[in-house]
Structure formats: structure tokens, C-alpha cells
Amino acid sequence: MSIPIKNAAEIDAMRLAGRLASEVLDMLTPHIRPGITTREIDRLAHEHMVEVQGGIPATLGYQPPGYPAFPASLCTSLNDVVCHGIPDDRPLKDGDIVNVDVTVIKDGWHGDNSRMFVVGNAGIAARRLCQITFEAMWKGIAKVRPGARLGDIGHAIQTFAESAGYAVVREFCGHGIGRRFHEEPQVLHYGRPGTLDELQPGMIFTIEPMINAGRREIKEDRRGGRPYDGWTIVTKDRSLSAQWEHTVLVTETGYEVLTVSAGSPPPPAFATAGYGGARATALAAPA
Ligand code: MF3
Ligand code: CO
Ligand code: CO
């Protein structure tokens, strides 16, 4: 099996899907405050994707082999939830951290991205985890260029996260994306430089590290003795977990982040150092 290469028209379609996915997060941002429920966040996002964007929420009814159909239009992963949290009726509390992961299908093409939100006034440890995870994602993105290998991305993320004292989740990875939500390649967030597939212009994949404040091990969420919902993953040691995600294109000279919009958090300085040069385009939010 090989990694799909997108042509110019397909890349244009992916730029649109990516921008729309990012704009859903922009729209949600002022709403993510103490008291709102994740179900309400889901409803706002669903309505925006369908009514405003003319798109389809990719997660709603999504059912990979062995899973139940996902019941919501986004994932909300709160505190010790690593990924795939299902929106529910509990209100967000001051000090929570929550990942909101949105995937929009527009004209048949997928844009996939997530951000961390700090609810009200969170402690220094929670804020540092979110910040380091953001930078870890960008350490991976900054490796993307033709001739680099997937192992270079994973290695950059792992060494950065581990030197900050955190652990990288191994069981979930980034993924190729296009007409399909998840396609080749798998993008591991750990690894060894110079290993795995070589990147070529026209490849599009996500980079979406899950970083734990404690140990890297995870488990299915059966908190409170409830039956497993089939999706929600938590840290085994109940430590906090954070995640950020962008959809990234390999260009002739470097990379282009496709999930950008006016509200995209600006890249860290180490990623913008070459901005305007050959390495990267569309890094920053449009003015
Ligand atoms: N958006 C997630 C990703 O980044 C996948 C969510 S699948 C769902 O790949 F069914 F849990 F929504
Ligand atoms: Co993804
Ligand atoms: Co996602």
C-alpha cells in the first residue's frame, strides 16, 4: 500500500476543508467557559458546520471496524481524557482543560484539527502541559519537507515532550487524510530519525500528539463502574493529558498547514523563523 499524492485541484479542496475545520474552533472559542456543557459545544459546532459552512461533521456516525458509531459532531476530551471523549451534559468547570477535535467534510474532502482550551483559571501545571503539547505538535510540523521521513517527525515530538518531563501516548497516531477521514500513512508521535516513509510533495496528513503529564499508558474509560462507551480513552494513572492537531501538506520546499484561519494560535518562534522563506507557507493566520 502506498501514500496518496494529491494534485493541485485536490490540494485546493483540502485547503478549503482545512480552513473550515479551523473556523469551527474559532467560532467555539468564546463559548468555551465555565458552565457550558460539552453537549452544547457539540450543538453549536454541528449547526455551524451544516448551516453556515455547508459541510458535514465527519465524526457523526463515524464507525471504524470494531467501534460503535460515534454519536457526536466533535470530540471533547476533558482533563485525564486522552482522546475521543463524547460530549455530555456535565458543565465545564473553572480549571478544566479540554481538547476540542473537529473534522469537517466539504465537497467530499476532510479537514481535521484540534486545540486545547483552558477553562477559566487553570493551574500552572495544566497550562504548561497545554503549551508544551502545542510546541510538540509544531516540533513535528517543522520537520516536514520532501526527503524527510516520518520517523523524523515522531522523534522531534518525542524528544521535546520527554525532555519537558512528559510522556507520549503510543496507541494513537496522526494519519493521512483526504477523501477518506483516515488513510495512509500512520504518523507516529515517537520514533527514530531517518526511519519509515520518505515524505513527498502532495502528501497530506495530520500531526496530533497526545501528551500525558504522568505515565504514557492509557485505558478504556470505565470510571464509576459504567460500561465502556466504546470510544473514551483516559490515562491509566489519571494524570492530565493534552493534544493539538493540524492537517499538513508536504510542499516542494517544506510544509503548508491547511487547518488555518483568522483565529489560529500563532506558531511558536522556532517555526516562524523561516517564515517568508522557502521552508513554510501559510503558517500564520491571514491578516
Ligand atoms: N478527529 C479524530 C482524529 O483526529 C478522530 C475522531 S473519530 C471519532 O483522528 F469517531 F472519535 F470522532
Ligand atoms: Co486526526
Ligand atoms: Co481530529
Side-chain angles (χ1 to χ4, degrees):
M1 295 290 280
S2 61
I3 302 173
I5 302 293
K6 274 77 173 178
N7 67 31
E10 293 168 338
I11 289 167
D12 263 339
M14 287 294 288
R15 281 195 185 99
L16 174 58
R19 178 169 62 78
L20 294 181
S22 187
E23 286 176 350
V24 175
L25 293 172
D26 294 354
M27 180 279 297
L28 291 174
T29 298
H31 294 281
I32 301 178
R33 296 162 46 87
I36 194 170
T37 68
T38 49
R39 198 185 300 283
E40 181 69 2
I41 293 168
D42 179 56
R43 194 192 63 76
L44 288 166
H46 180 95
E47 186 167 298
H48 190 82
M49 285 185 260
V50 173
E51 305 295 338
V52 178
Q53 298 183 330
I56 298 168
T59 60
L60 187 59
Y62 183 60
Q63 187 169 18
Y67 285 81
F70 194 80
S73 296
L74 46 64
C75 300
T76 49
S77 299
L78 187 66
N79 297 330
D80 60 339
V81 177
V82 172
C83 62
H84 303 163
I86 299 173
D88 63 22
D89 291 315
R90 284 172 297 189
L92 295 178
K93 300 187 311 293
D94 190 62
D96 282 340
I97 59 170
V98 63
N99 174 276
V100 179
D101 190 338
V102 170
T103 311
V104 179
I105 309 170
K106 179 67 176 178
D107 303 330
W109 297 90
H110 291 73
D112 185 8
N113 67 167
S114 78
R115 301 181 196 161
M116 292 303 297
F117 295 88
V118 171
V119 181
N121 299 294
I124 184 77
R127 286 185 283 122
R128 177 174 180 268
L129 176 65
C130 295
Q131 178 62 28
I132 294 288
T133 303
F134 177 72
E135 291 176 21
M137 172 186 68
W138 275 102
K139 287 286 180 184
I141 293 171
K143 289 292 178 192
V144 175
R145 61 186 303 164
R149 288 178 178 272
L150 286 171
D152 301 339
I153 297 173
H155 181 75
I157 292 168
Q158 181 181 13
T159 51
F160 181 75
E162 290 180 353
S163 50
Y166 297 142
V168 178
V169 171
R170 306 289 178 101
E171 291 83 353
F172 298 92
C173 57
H175 49 93
I177 183 167
R179 282 197 179 277
R180 287 171 294 181
F181 193 167
H182 296 100
E183 61 185 33
E184 285 193 75
Q186 295 194 38
V187 182
L188 303 181
H189 302 116
Y190 61 94
R192 300 185 60 78
T195 64
L196 305 175
D197 290 280
E198 187 175 305
L199 306 186
Q200 291 174 38
M203 291 179 178
I204 298 179
F205 49 79
T206 72
I207 298 178
E208 49 178 304
M210 283 141 274
I211 306 294
N212 297 348
R215 295 177 56 83
R216 69 174 175 82
E217 287 79 12
I218 61 167
K219 61 183 179 183
E220 297 177 347
D221 177 18
R222 299 172 193 278
R223 288 172 297 181
R226 287 187 296 275
Y228 187 47
D229 63 22
W231 283 101
T232 309
I233 299 294
V234 293
T235 56
K236 201 168 182 179
D237 64 6
R238 307 295 307 273
S239 64
L240 291 177
S241 187
Q243 180 179 27
W244 288 79
E245 178 177 26
H246 269 312
T247 299
V248 179
L249 164 72
V250 184
T251 66
E252 296 292 334
T253 51
Y255 61 86
E256 177 180 332
V257 175
L258 301 181
T259 37
V260 284
S261 59
S264 297
F270 65 76
T272 49
Y275 186 52
R279 283 281 291 115
T281 54
L283 272 175

